[in-house]
Amino acid sequence: MIRKERAILALEDGTVYRGYAFGHRGETVGEVVFNTSMTGYQEIMTDPSYNGQIVTITYPHVGNYGVAIYDMESNKPYVRGFISREFSGEYSNYRAQQSLEAFMQQYGVVSIQGIDTRALVRRLRTGGVVKGVIAHRSYTHPSDPYGEFSPAEEQVYVQRALDHQDIDGHDMTKDVTTALPYAFPTLRHGKRVVLMDFGIKHTIIERLSEVGIEPIVVPAHTTPAQVMALQPHGLFLSNGPGDPAPLEYAHKTAWELMGLLPTFGICLGHQILGLAAGGQTFKMKFGHRGGNQPVKNLLTGNVEITAQNHGYAVDLDSVPNGAFVATHINLNDGTLEGMAHSRYPVFSVQYHPEASPGPHDSRYLFDRFIEEIDAFDGTTGSPVEKALTGRLGV
């Protein structure tokens, strides 16, 4: 019988799950959430939107196709930890360069396997997301990595989870945004679009480039005047982690640029637009995370199966003066999934049309964005001219 190093997952409500160590040996704390995708664990781990969170994968077997450098959504994993029923120590995939465990060890991702993930997910669905700690026995007791945690030790970690800072009310983008602006290399000269980086995924940049956009990625704190100085044809507000409410600098930027540039927001960018217009957001019980969320397009009547990762949503009724109208709704719970401004070429969706991983039903939104840019550029004049005489005062 092969002995395995012991590990625990301790939740702030006092629940403790006992399992086995995987990945980097150590200890980690974060908000425990779950994702229902059947594939794409590498993309999930490297999605900056998961900054501050420990992700539970509901699919029971993770790691069997290894890790490929071309599937990275950022330069490193941003998850605080990973939970699976069973991780695979071996992999088979001609594209892979290394195993999942080697990847986790390389980047310091602390993980646990061997627990009842179905019970954990039911706990999260019933009571909502909670803070938790993953701890490895080999980290706390290297001389006895196979021994059980004592009840007293478990309670120490329960308290550590309870004391951990909530994601609510804190700016989580500062750890994931780019430090300096950069241009995405492309062989085509397209419409220049400024991409506000709140935690942008690589695939989003690639999809924008594919439809004829010249992407310039800028830090989250870039001012409206700095945006307009780049003489863009459009503005993109990216996905990102955490609570959108404290990002007041982003709300201000989105508000001051609204109507000056065709604008497309995804995920956190969608929420920022709602807040910029004077609306409110709320935290969901357990959020939407996975590649199988049904969304109805209210403009066409079509139903799209979408990839999603968010724990907050926009309350459309709170947006004053009907500035935005609903374009998409979630068919599971009726929450807002997309909206468009009633006057300006500004629209957004809560889900991820780049779908990496996930279905490709919503990729038409990138084409819609370039169509909005073409129409705006051809009928209303230069956005720089509008900025010179508009509200920016530059």
Side-chain angles (χ1 to χ4, degrees), residues 164-243:
H164 183 63
Q165 185 181 71
D166 287 328
I167 285 178
D168 300 1
H170 295 278
D171 184 353
M172 304 293 293
T173 66
K174 61 182 182 298
D175 298 325
V176 300
T177 188
T178 180
L180 297 170
Y182 64 92
F184 183 78
T186 175
L187 297 177
R188 294 179 291 184
H189 296 285
K191 299 291 186 180
R192 181 177 300 169
V193 172
V194 170
L195 280 55
M196 300 289 293
D197 178 14
F198 304 109
I200 197 166
K201 296 170 64 179
H202 288 170
T203 305
I204 290 178
I205 306 175
E206 292 170 2
R207 295 290 172 264
L208 290 168
S209 177
E210 287 173 0
V211 298
I213 283 173
E214 178 190 345
I216 299 179
V217 184
V218 299
H221 282 85
T222 302
T223 67
Q226 290 171 330
V227 169
M228 297 307 292
L230 294 170
Q231 302 186 24
H233 297 94
L235 176 69
F236 179 84
L237 306 179
S238 85
N239 63 293
D243 185 355

Side-chain angles (χ1 to χ4, degrees), residues 255 258 273-274 276-279 316-326 339-344 346:
W255 166 247
M258 200 172 294
L273 284 171
L316 187 62
D317 293 335
S318 70
V319 179
N321 305 318
F324 280 98
V325 296
M339 61 186 186
H341 200 278
S342 56
R343 293 179 55 199
Y344 304 133
V346 177

Side-chain angles (χ1 to χ4, degrees), residues 28-32 52-54 80 130-133 161 164 167:
T28 190
V29 59
E31 184 180 74
V32 182
Q53 295 177 323
I54 297 173
R80 288 283 177 84
V130 293
K131 295 174 292 183
V133 173
H164 183 63
I167 285 178

